[in-house]
Amino acid sequence: MTTETSAAQGPAPNPRALTWTRRRHSAARFWRAYRGHRAGLFGLAVLVLISLAAVFAPLLVGSDADSVTHAPGDAMESPSTEFPLGTDQFGRDLLALLVYGARISLTIGLLAAFLSVAIGTVVGITAGHYRGVYGTVMMRVTDWFLVMPTLVLAIALAVVMSGSLSTIILAIGVTTWPTTARLVRAQTLAVESRPYIERARALGGGHTHIMLRHVLPNVMPLVLAQTTLVISSAILTEATLAFLGLGDPTAVSWGGLLQDAREAGAVSAGDWWYLAPPGIAIAVVALAFTLCGRAVESVLNPRLGVSR
């Protein structure tokens, strides 16, 4: 009788298929909630457009747009039909340089933010789980980084190390993680006070099992929201370092364009077309990431009551 009933019910469902089904449903619910935030949709649309322009930059503006020897115009030309944003001191099209600069600025911002959030997540989870001497020491180190000016630390690292893109990413990543660590530690303490953590320990779950299988999935929504917010500050920090001449001189970035404009005397000459577009691009991208981050934070934690 039992065999006939089991046969009538069909084969047991595949656990992996059930997991992917739940993930698809969760993603669909997230997108439905995210679509209700007009500001978040606007920020996402802006980021998609800028990202597409950065990816297809060689098709849009040519592959040698940053070449000094093949500059198409004269030095410091004002905006015209041929050059909508004018030219720089070498005669290069500033619109093309602005498109290429999106590649470097977005890449550094994304990688530096991921490094920062990864460090903060590891420190926050471990400090919240191991509450003895280790947790106390890690929080004092975190407090020290919090009270130190982030930009000053990033400048110090960029000066000591070689001026390259990896140096900028490392300098931003290792100086901006404390806020994430504090938030993740607080969430870890809240998660580990729940009864199922005690049951996991009673059933023989070790430290690694509890942190990876129980704590990490519960703090990931907070980590995701924090990542989108950190990216905007990372882009601003990269632009600041490049403007101070601490970036890679061979790479075209928005901060590097501002540095070139300063060195070319665009400020004193009143050449606004050299200064305004990179600054506006930095502000727009930072605002777009912030809007997306606020929307994600509101969806994942509706109690925040972020306005739509």
Side-chain angles (χ1 to χ4, degrees), residues 65 84 86 137 150 163 230 239 260 272:
V137 170
T150 300
V230 172
D260 293 341
W272 59 268

Side-chain angles (χ1 to χ4, degrees), residues 44-262:
L44 182 61
V46 170
L47 292 178
V48 169
L49 290 176
I50 295 177
S51 299
L52 290 177
V55 171
F56 297 104
L59 298 178
L60 295 176
V61 297
S63 58
D64 59 347
D66 58 343
S67 175
V68 177
T69 57
H70 298 89
D74 297 327
M76 305 300 287
E77 288 189 38
S78 59
S80 61
T81 304
E82 184 179 4
F83 304 111
L85 296 181
T87 62
D88 65 354
Q89 69 268 37
F90 303 111
R92 298 178 295 180
D93 185 5
L94 282 175
L95 178 60
L97 294 178
L98 192 69
V99 174
Y100 265 95
R103 285 185 155 191
I104 302 300
S105 295
L106 289 178
T107 300
I108 292 179
L110 290 170
L111 294 180
F114 289 148
L115 176 61
S116 172
V117 171
I119 296 173
T121 301
V122 171
V123 172
I125 290 179
T126 55
H129 182 78
Y130 300 105
R131 306 180 190 180
V133 177
Y134 172 82
T136 302
V137 170
M138 293 307 299
M139 283 301 97
R140 297 297 77 77
V141 173
T142 302
D143 293 339
W144 183 84
F145 273 95
L146 279 174
V147 299
M148 289 294 293
T150 300
L151 183 58
V152 174
L153 290 177
I155 291 174
L157 287 176
V159 169
V160 172
M161 303 173 68
S162 60
S164 62
L165 298 182
S166 58
T167 298
I168 300 301
I169 293 171
L170 184 63
I172 297 174
V174 300
T175 57
T176 57
W177 56 267
T179 302
T180 303
R182 274 289 180 185
L183 294 173
V184 172
R185 178 180 178 272
Q187 185 69 11
T188 300
L189 294 175
V191 170
E192 294 208 352
S193 65
R194 297 172 183 172
Y196 67 86
I197 299 295
E198 293 296 330
R199 289 197 296 268
R201 289 195 179 99
L203 292 174
H207 297 294
T208 303
H209 173 82
I210 291 174
M211 287 188 290
L212 294 181
R213 297 298 298 273
H214 297 288
V215 177
L216 183 60
N218 282 280
V219 303
M220 280 307 296
L222 174 64
V223 171
L224 177 60
Q226 182 67 12
T227 300
T228 57
L229 297 176
V230 172
I231 291 174
S232 61
S233 62
I235 291 176
L236 292 173
T237 305
E238 183 277 328
T240 303
L241 293 176
F243 178 74
L244 295 175
L246 300 176
D248 189 349
T250 63
V252 178
S253 68
W254 292 335
L257 290 177
L258 292 175
Q259 163 68 2
D260 293 341
R262 185 184 64 83

Side-chain angles (χ1 to χ4, degrees), residues 29-45 47 221-222 224-230 232 286-308:
R29 287 195 302 269
F30 173 84
W31 176 243
R32 285 195 299 268
Y34 187 91
R35 285 186 303 177
H37 296 263
R38 292 188 295 271
L41 285 178
F42 173 77
L44 182 61
L47 292 178
L222 174 64
L224 177 60
Q226 182 67 12
T227 300
T228 57
L229 297 176
V230 172
S232 61
L287 177 62
F289 272 113
T290 301
L291 293 177
C292 290
R294 295 299 183 187
V296 170
E297 196 175 15
S298 178
V299 170
L300 297 179
N301 189 2
R303 291 177 299 176
L304 294 176
V306 177
S307 58
R308 300 184 177 186

